[in-house]
């Protein structure tokens, strides 16, 4: 009961935050809306007993990534008197919105009334206490079965560094 | 203490590529050597990786002969060392080598940034090469991201041109969206089957009767959409013309070829191996995508005035042709087509970069007027490559097309083959249009010199197009032996 209530409240907060990200005129409000979404999703992770993921969500996303966003927004400068933008997509916006609404309603209807097999195999043989989201439960597979995936992310970091230099170095030479 | 299961032999080529990238970056920082030193490091890592791939091939065929198929699964099911993975990896390495050669003039022109460009090319190849070997879908996603993100940066390397920025931003936004769709599909496949590994998904689906497989089916659809974007199949192709036009022409051939190879091997692995039980569900979708890509690609290519955009739309059509191989469940047909088409693509863009400059945006068809007198070698090799792409008999393109069409025909998709043949005929028109412009219009402009590295690339593209068209046996045998597990 508590779980359901918590889920409903937090899901609503998450959706409201996501809507604020898109709708807010002031980019700082958008960032704060994103913060609300990220934090409420973190609470949902806690409800799922994924404590480690919840902690990472708060530290990495709500902490580091959002701070970075705010830095960028502040550096670019928040211009409150932003002139009303020209509407270049007069009706496409509504069409896409309508299609998206239909898809969301369809998915919601499916979830409510559909007959689904969610995770038929995984849930049966995994002990709930073993997946309690502890650091050990995550670290052990990460450095045994998933070690290659873990190492492959190192390539991503190298690309980020090399790519940033490759793209930014040109402008600096110009200036 | 638990130790991870590590088998170096399964990932050694990727390791060499990553080492090459790191070496290029570090050597550049420390010694700022001549560009040729960096090129030698890159070439060394690619050549050694390719040589090692041959060793893997021998190893894998020995294991298959001995019946020890389990030996081909490495890193606790993360990656495979089966024939399809090794064949795909070898083609990727070949395209990487020729891609660097074709883009060498551009890479040299980048000045201090050329080390990063070489490193990004090597890292993109490492990512896509892991992707073709992946058994675990999360690993496949990681490989896809490593490769794609490096390609986004490469698309935007020419900062002095707005078009290059535009190409990079478009590629990045739409590509990230497609990656998100793909990983959502993977999550739903996991939710529906409880497995991340392709082989385990196949096992689960053949052992279990899913009464309501909706979750797994939605996952399947999303995976098709995500990978369909990466191989620029219609209707997910809208990024391709702008990116092909805006990205530095020296590197476009490499970028387009490598994404297609990895994407199609991944599609073949997921659909033909993992989800073969769902065949009745995804076959009509894939057939529809194939038909739409072939028709739309070849018809829109007809009206393009820019050779690069034309090649982009012809790439959409080729994605459709390869999809007919997926419909025909013929991995050998798909692999043969990929090997043939990838080399032709690199060769075609080598010509484009020679005609309109290695960094230039766009390549108007008027630039090709009278190319036969300005540079007979360039015009002749471009003509051979284009005829190969069109699938003229006695070129490799014909054998490739015949293979995938025959397989689709034998699975009962006759209508798709008829559409495919029709599209091939339409495609002939725009390939011929370039050839006519090159050979039958008057000489305009100066003679065009062809740099040495480009000559090699063109030579390989032309020779393989003709040799595999007349004597396709060697490549056909390799593609037939390159079975997925």
């Amino acid at each position: 009961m508590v779980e359901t209530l918590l889920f409903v409240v937090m899901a609503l907060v998450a959706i409201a935050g996501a809507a604020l990200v898109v709708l807010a005129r002031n980019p700082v409000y958008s960032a704060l809306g994103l913060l609300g979404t990220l934090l409420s999703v973190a609470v949902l992770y806690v409800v799922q007993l994924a404590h480690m993921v919840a902690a990472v969500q708060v530290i990495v996303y709500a902490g580091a990534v959002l701070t970075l966003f705010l830095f960028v927004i502040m550096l670019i400068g928040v211009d409150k008197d932003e002139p009303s933008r020209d509407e270049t997509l007069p009706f496409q916006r509504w069409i896409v919105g309508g299609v998206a609404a239909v898809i969301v309603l369809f998915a919601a209807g499916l979830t409510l009334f559909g007959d689904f097999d969610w995770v038929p195999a995984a849930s049966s043989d995994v002990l709930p206490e073993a997946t309690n989201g502890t650091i050990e439960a995550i670290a052990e597979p990460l450095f045994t079965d998933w070690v290659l995936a873990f190492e492959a992310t190192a390539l991503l970091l190298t690309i980020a560094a090399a790519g940033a230099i490759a793209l930014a170095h040109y402008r600096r030479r110009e200036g | 203490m638990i130790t991870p299961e590590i088998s170096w032999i399964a990932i050694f080529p990727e390791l060499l590529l990553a080492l090459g990238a790191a070496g290029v970056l570090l050597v550049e920082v420390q010694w700022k050597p001549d560009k040729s030193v960096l090129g030698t490091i890159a070439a060394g890592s690619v050549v050694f990786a390719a040589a090692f791939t041959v060793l893997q091939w021998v190893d894998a065929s020995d294991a298959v002969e001995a019946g020890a198929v389990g030996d081909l699964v490495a890193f606790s099911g993360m990656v495979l060392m089966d024939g399809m993975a090794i064949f795909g990896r070898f083609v990727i390495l070949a395209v990487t080598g020729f891609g660097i050669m074709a883009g060498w003039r551009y890479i040299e022109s980048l000045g201090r940034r050329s080390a990063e460009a070489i490193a990004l090319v090597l890292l993109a190849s490492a990512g896509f090469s892991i992707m073709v070997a992946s058994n675990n879908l999360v690993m496949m996603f990681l490989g896809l991201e490593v490769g794609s993100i490096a390609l986004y940066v490469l698309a935007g390397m020419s900062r002095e041109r707005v078009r290059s920025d535009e190409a990079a931003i478009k590629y990045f936004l739409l590509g990230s969206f497609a990656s998100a769709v793909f990983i959502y599909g993977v999550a739903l496949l996991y939710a529906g089957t409880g497995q991340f590994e392709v082989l385990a998904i196949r096992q689960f689906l053949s052992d279990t009767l899913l009464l309501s497989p909706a979750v797994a089916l939605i996952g399947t659809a999303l995976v098709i959409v995500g990978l369909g974007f990466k191989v620029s199949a219609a209707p997910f192709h809208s990024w391709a013309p702008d990116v092909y036009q805006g990205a530095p022409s020296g590197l476009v051939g490499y970028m387009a070829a490598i994404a297609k190879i990895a994407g199609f091997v991944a599609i073949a692995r997921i659909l033909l191996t993992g989800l073969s039980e769902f065949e009745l569900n995804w076959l009509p979708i894939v057939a529809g995508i194939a038909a739409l890509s072939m028709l739309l690609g070849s018809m829109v290519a007809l009206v393009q005035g820019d050779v690069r955009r034309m090649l982009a739309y012809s790439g959409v059509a080729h994605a459709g042709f390869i999809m007919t191989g997926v419909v025909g469940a013929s991995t050998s047909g798909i692999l043969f087509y990929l090997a043939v088409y990838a080399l032709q693509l690199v060769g075609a863009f080598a010509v484009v970069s020679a005609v309109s400059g290695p960094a230039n945006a766009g390549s108007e068809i008027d630039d090709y007027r009278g190319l036969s007198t300005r540079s007979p070698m360039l015009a002749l090799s471009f003509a051979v490559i284009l005829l190969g792409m069109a699938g003229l008999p006695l070129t490799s393109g014909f054998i490739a097309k015949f293979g995938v069409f025959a397989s689709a025909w034998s699975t009962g998709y006759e209508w798709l083959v008829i559409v495919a043949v029709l599209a091939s005929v339409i495609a002939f028109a725009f390939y011929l249009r370039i050839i006519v412009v090159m050979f039958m219009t008057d000489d305009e402009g100066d003679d065009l010199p062809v740099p040495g590295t480009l000559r090699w690339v063109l030579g390989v593209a032309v020779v393989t197009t003709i040799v595999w068209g007349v004597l396709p046996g060697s490549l056909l045998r390799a593609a037939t032996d390159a079975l997925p597990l």
Side-chain angles (χ1 to χ4, degrees):
Chain A
M1 185 59 217
V2 180
E3 229 175 84
T4 318
L5 197 70
L6 204 59
F7 170 75
V8 170
V9 172
M10 284 302 148
L12 286 177
V13 174
I15 293 174
L20 187 63
V21 174
V22 186
L23 295 176
R25 287 272 163 196
N26 189 327
V28 178
Y29 292 164
S30 291
L32 289 179
L34 187 62
L35 181 67
T37 302
L38 294 174
L39 288 179
S40 46
V41 171
V43 175
L44 291 181
Y45 288 149
V46 174
V47 176
Q48 296 293 315
L49 299 179
H51 302 299
M52 169 73 184
V53 181
V56 170
Q57 168 90 359
V58 171
I59 295 170
V60 175
Y61 283 95
V65 172
L66 208 77
T67 314
L68 189 74
F69 281 3
L70 280 173
F71 258 113
V72 173
I73 293 171
M74 296 301 186
L75 279 178
I76 292 173
V78 185
D79 193 1
K80 285 223 179 83
D81 310 318
E82 188 189 355
S84 60
R85 286 165 300 171
D86 289 336
E87 188 66 89
T88 49
L89 302 169
F91 59 92
Q92 288 93 328
R93 216 179 276 266
W94 292 104
I95 294 177
V96 171
V99 171
V102 168
I103 292 174
V104 167
L105 284 179
F106 179 69
L110 267 185
T111 326
L112 283 178
F113 306 111
D115 179 20
F116 275 110
D117 288 341
W118 290 98
V119 196
S123 51
S124 55
D125 57 351
V126 177
L127 295 170
E129 55 267 28
T131 58
N132 232 350
T134 59
I135 295 173
E136 289 90 343
I138 288 175
E140 200 186 290
L142 186 64
F143 288 101
T144 53
D145 288 354
W146 295 81
V147 68
L148 186 63
F150 178 74
E151 295 296 338
T153 50
L155 293 183
L156 272 179
L157 294 179
T158 316
I159 290 176
I165 292 171
L167 290 183
H169 203 248
Y170 174 73
R171 285 281 156 84
R172 200 184 301 154
R173 199 178 46 186
E174 281 282 65
Chain B
M1 192 177 123
I2 318 148
T3 45
E5 182 209 323
I6 289 178
S7 73
W8 295 107
I9 184 172
I11 57 150
F12 203 66
E14 288 81 13
L15 214 59
L16 277 172
L17 288 175
L19 278 177
V24 166
L25 289 175
L26 292 176
V27 166
E28 164 72 17
V29 166
Q30 184 60 34
W31 289 290
K32 298 188 178 46
D34 192 63
K35 299 283 181 289
S36 59
V37 176
L38 302 180
T40 314
I41 297 174
S45 71
V46 172
V47 168
F48 275 113
F52 197 82
T53 312
V54 177
L55 279 183
Q56 279 185 330
W57 179 266
V58 176
D59 223 46
S61 25
D62 284 353
V64 170
E65 248 167 56
V69 182
D71 289 358
L72 303 184
V73 183
F75 282 96
S76 1
M78 275 286 150
V79 288
L80 298 176
M81 220 174 67
D82 58 357
M84 188 161 77
I86 301 172
F87 189 96
R89 183 182 273 147
F90 190 80
V91 180
I92 283 179
L93 289 168
V95 166
T96 310
F98 294 126
I100 293 178
M101 281 164 76
W104 187 248
R105 209 153 50 112
Y106 174 69
I107 291 173
E108 271 187 322
S109 75
L110 284 171
R112 294 285 313 283
R113 297 188 299 150
S114 52
E116 276 81 25
I118 299 173
L120 284 170
V121 167
L122 293 178
L123 287 171
S125 300
F128 283 127
S129 155
I130 279 198
M131 184 183 169
V132 299
S134 294
N135 179 35
N136 189 304
L137 291 176
V138 174
M139 196 65 228
M140 195 180 275
F141 174 73
L142 267 173
L144 175 72
E145 280 302 272
V146 169
S148 305
I149 291 178
L151 290 192
Y152 304 151
V153 181
L154 286 175
M157 283 302 277
S158 300
R159 293 297 304 275
E160 61 271 26
R161 287 188 298 107
V162 178
R163 268 206 192 281
S164 185
D165 283 350
E166 181 195 334
I169 291 283
K170 264 189 187 150
Y171 200 12
F172 171 60
L173 285 179
L174 292 173
S176 322
F177 186 66
S179 298
V181 170
F182 176 74
I183 194 70
Y184 193 26
V186 170
L188 286 182
L189 274 180
Y190 180 67
T193 64
Q195 306 290 346
F196 271 130
E197 287 164 22
V198 172
L199 294 177
I201 289 176
R202 176 178 67 179
Q203 190 67 38
F204 175 81
L205 289 180
S206 64
D207 288 352
T208 332
L209 180 66
L210 283 179
L211 288 176
S212 45
V215 178
L217 283 180
I218 298 173
T220 308
L222 292 178
V223 164
I224 294 176
V225 171
L227 290 175
F229 173 91
K230 295 291 173 192
V231 300
S232 75
F236 320 112
H237 65 284
S238 50
W239 58 275
D242 290 323
V243 173
Y244 281 38
Q245 194 182 13
S249 65
L251 294 172
V252 180
Y254 162 77
M255 291 166 59
I258 201 164
K260 273 217 171 58
I261 301 166
F264 269 111
V265 172
I267 288 176
R269 201 181 282 294
I270 295 179
L271 291 184
L272 298 179
T273 306
L275 299 167
S276 51
E277 295 283 326
F278 283 162
E279 204 174 60
L280 290 178
N281 299 93
W282 57 255
L283 261 181
I285 304 176
V286 174
I289 293 177
L292 188 65
S293 306
M294 291 184 291
L295 287 178
L296 191 135
S298 41
M299 285 202 275
V300 180
L302 271 180
V303 295
Q304 299 300 319
D306 186 296
V307 172
R308 286 214 215 175
R309 292 186 82 85
M310 200 183 276
L311 286 172
Y313 280 108
S314 100
V316 175
H318 280 286
F321 292 134
I322 305 175
M323 282 275 186
T324 58
V326 179
V327 171
S330 151
T331 50
S332 62
I334 297 169
L335 291 174
F336 187 92
Y337 204 121
L338 284 173
V340 161
Y341 177 61
L343 288 178
Q344 287 168 350
L345 203 54
V346 174
F349 274 100
V351 175
V352 170
S353 76
V355 171
S356 18
N360 217 355
S363 192
E364 290 295 318
I365 196 162
D366 286 341
D367 296 353
Y368 295 79
R369 292 177 77 88
L371 195 67
S372 57
T373 46
R374 288 158 62 200
S375 176
M377 187 191 125
L378 210 56
L380 201 65
S381 42
F382 200 24
V384 171
I385 291 169
L386 287 177
L387 288 176
M389 280 186 174
L392 192 79
L394 291 183
T395 62
S396 55
F398 175 76
I399 314 275
K401 280 209 173 78
F402 183 78
V404 290
F405 293 176
S407 69
W409 187 275
S410 62
T411 42
Y413 271 85
E414 286 92 355
W415 66 268
L416 188 65
V417 177
I418 294 169
V419 170
V421 172
L422 209 71
S424 313
V425 175
I426 302 174
F428 247 108
F430 61 80
Y431 291 124
L432 279 180
R433 189 175 143 209
I434 305 180
I435 296 175
V436 166
V437 168
M438 286 193 304
F439 283 92
M440 296 181 187
T441 50
D442 287 336
D443 179 10
E444 276 177 27
D446 307 324
D447 286 0
L448 266 177
V450 185
T453 49
L454 279 188
R455 280 184 202 185
W456 281 97
V457 176
L458 287 177
V460 168
V462 168
V463 167
T464 54
T465 299
I466 294 173
V467 167
W468 285 337
V470 183
L471 304 162
S474 56
L475 184 63
L476 267 182
R477 211 172 309 119
T480 317
D481 286 345
L483 288 172
L485 263 186

